[in-house]
Amino acid sequence: MPNAQSGFFEWVFFFVRTYGPMFLQGAGTTLLIALTGTLVGFIIGLAVGYVRAIPCAKEDGAVKYWLLKLARTLLGVYIEVFRSTPMIVQSMVIFYGASSVLHINLPYLLAGFIIVSINTGAYLSEIVRGGIQSVDPGQMEAGLAIGMTYGQTMLNVVLPQAIRNILPALGNEFVVNIKDTSVLNVISVTELYFVSKSAAGTYFKYFEVFFITSVIYFVMTFTITRFLRWVEKKMDGPQNYAIHGSQTVPDVELIPKGGATNE
Amino acid sequence: MNETVLQVRHLSKSFGDHEVLRDVDFTVSKGEVISIIGSSGSGKSTLLRCMNLLEKPTSGEVLFHGDNIQAPGFNLQTYRAHVGMVFQSFNLFANMTALDNCVVGQMKVLGRSRVQAQNIAMAFLEKVGMSAYVKAKPRQLSGGQKQRVAIARALAMNPEVLLFDEPTSALDPEMVGEVLTVMKDLASTGLTMLVVTHEMGFARDVSDRVVFMDGGVIVESDVPEVVFTQPKHPRTREFLARILEN
Ligand SMILES: Nc1ncnc2c1ncn2[C@@H]1O[C@H](COP(=O)(O)OP(=O)(O)O)[C@@H](O)[C@H]1O
Ligand SMILES: [Mg+2]
């Protein structure tokens, strides 16, 4: 162990050597919560965005109209509340609310998943709704015009395009979550920030430890940002279509005789 | 006279205070090719869109083989498969290949298997001359190619009637011909077609009947020879004089 005369780098090496596995574990927890929270939040966002995008007119029947109106109001409240309060406060309210009102002692990790998911869901709902609105209304009309239902057209035509449009925002939300899971330390989730705080507190070496911590956060977010950009590029594919000479058209390959599908 | 397929009765449509269609009566017989002409804003698109309920009529009714398409219990999905629509802006599903554009509706609406739907789709893509582009995405196609795929997509649903809303208006001039050729072929197979168009050549040579609309009403409806050579109504004469001048 370094002593009082030891320099910055000696302490850094010391922490890396002795706390390395703990840092990695904390980073793993951070990634796990951020990823799960973003994915579950995305599913919440899709569901909420879908409901909020359903067109509703009084002529469609009073029951449907009022149910939709009610659902929308409730979802609107959810979105506003979670977007207008800090996640650190939401963590306290949900975690201690569950224990003192519902008498449920949430495991820390589960509490973390729930908080990040609900919070992300609120942000992504609005993004999904915007994504749906950004798709040309002609796409929905074309689906309806060949007899598909609103829901079928939504699932097969509009949502895939909406999701493609919001992919950058989704990636961004993931990166934000990697950073923001740090607030979960207030409810003792052992993510990277919590682990760092414990290590630093033991030796009163805050600068050294949090220097390491920031490097780990940076590497995670930087790598993921680059990776997502690469994925987006890949998904766009080529802009031009190479025309096959008519003899080389792979008709046979396209229409499998044996019942195999061509996805 | 052939059997009546579609009947429009006392159809009116308003957007707010703006009355776009006024008490339109109109009958379509099996195998008829009808061109609907008229200046921009006269209600042609709205009429077509009311016929497959993309717009809800304010009053009046549309009967398909005598059945009111707005009656409760009427199967709107099947009806729309039977009365297809081709749009001015193509509206191909942007996230799907040309082939899948023609497959998805068959599977979802008609319950066909993927293999069966692909075979049918291929047959129609071939018919419109697009079989070399089955794997292309819409953004990789020219306007004329997109519109031909859109026609194949509608045909794959086994339609009894096809509604065309200015199918060539968004096309560069050199691509108008390829789409009109496909439409002429279809007309000769006996498909019932309603075509909103500014292509007077098509209206005169291909259609059995020409309908002239103005201000939300049908002003004149007759065989092309009469409408083009001895129109009864002065508004028809004015319109034709204006459009044939160019
Ligand atoms: N969704 C709509 N909302 C309000 N007005 C509309 C709508 N659709 C069409 N209109 C109006 O209805 C009139 C007829 O439009 P349309 O049927 O598209 O004419 P056309 O196809 O003959 O050019 C126009 O004045 C147009 O502005
Ligand atoms: Mg129009």
Side-chain angles (χ1 to χ4, degrees), chain B residues 197-213:
Chain B
T197 187
H198 293 296
E199 294 293 329
M200 291 303 136
F202 180 90
R204 190 172 40 214
D205 303 336
V206 182
S207 43
D208 303 307
R209 185 147 60 100
V210 175
V211 170
F212 171 66
M213 286 185 72

Side-chain angles (χ1 to χ4, degrees), chain A residues 146-148 152, chain B residues 75 77-78 81 102-118 120 156-158:
Chain A
I146 56 173
M148 293 204 287
Q152 286 171 335
Chain B
N75 190 334
Q77 272 69 47
T78 317
C102 305
V103 163
V104 62
Q106 296 187 63
M107 293 176 64
K108 302 288 168 195
V109 184
L110 306 177
R112 290 178 183 153
S113 73
R114 178 173 290 278
V115 176
Q116 193 187 6
Q118 281 182 341
I120 292 169
M157 304 301 288
N158 257 359

Side-chain angles (χ1 to χ4, degrees), chain A residues 138-139 141-148 152 156-157 160-161 236 238-241 243 253-255 262-263, chain B residues 49 77 80 91-96 105 108-109 114 118-119 122 131-136 139-140 153 157:
Chain A
Q139 298 282 304
E141 290 196 340
L144 296 178
I146 56 173
M148 293 204 287
Q152 286 171 335
N156 293 284
V157 178
Q161 294 178 50
D236 284 340
Q239 290 296 320
N240 298 310
Y241 185 70
I243 302 168
E253 172 198 316
L254 266 162
I255 300 165
N262 171 51
E263 279 290 356
Chain B
R49 293 163 59 82
Q77 272 69 47
R80 281 172 167 162
N91 296 354
L92 285 185
F93 303 136
N95 58 322
M96 297 182 192
K108 302 288 168 195
V109 184
R114 178 173 290 278
Q118 281 182 341
N119 283 317
M122 272 309 291
S131 55
Y133 296 88
V134 280
K135 286 189 171 176
R139 70 190 148 79
Q140 299 166 321
R153 171 175 71 181
M157 304 301 288

Side-chain angles (χ1 to χ4, degrees), chain B residues 13-16 18-21 37-49 55 88 165-166 196 198 213 216:
Chain B
K13 173 69 184 176
S14 303
F15 293 105
H18 184 189
E19 196 170 40
V20 173
L21 292 176
I37 61 174
S39 50
S40 171
S42 56
K44 308 180 297 295
S45 297
T46 307
L47 175 60
L48 283 202
R49 293 163 59 82
E55 298 291 353
Q88 177 175 352
D165 191 0
E166 299 197 32
V196 172
H198 293 296
M213 286 185 72

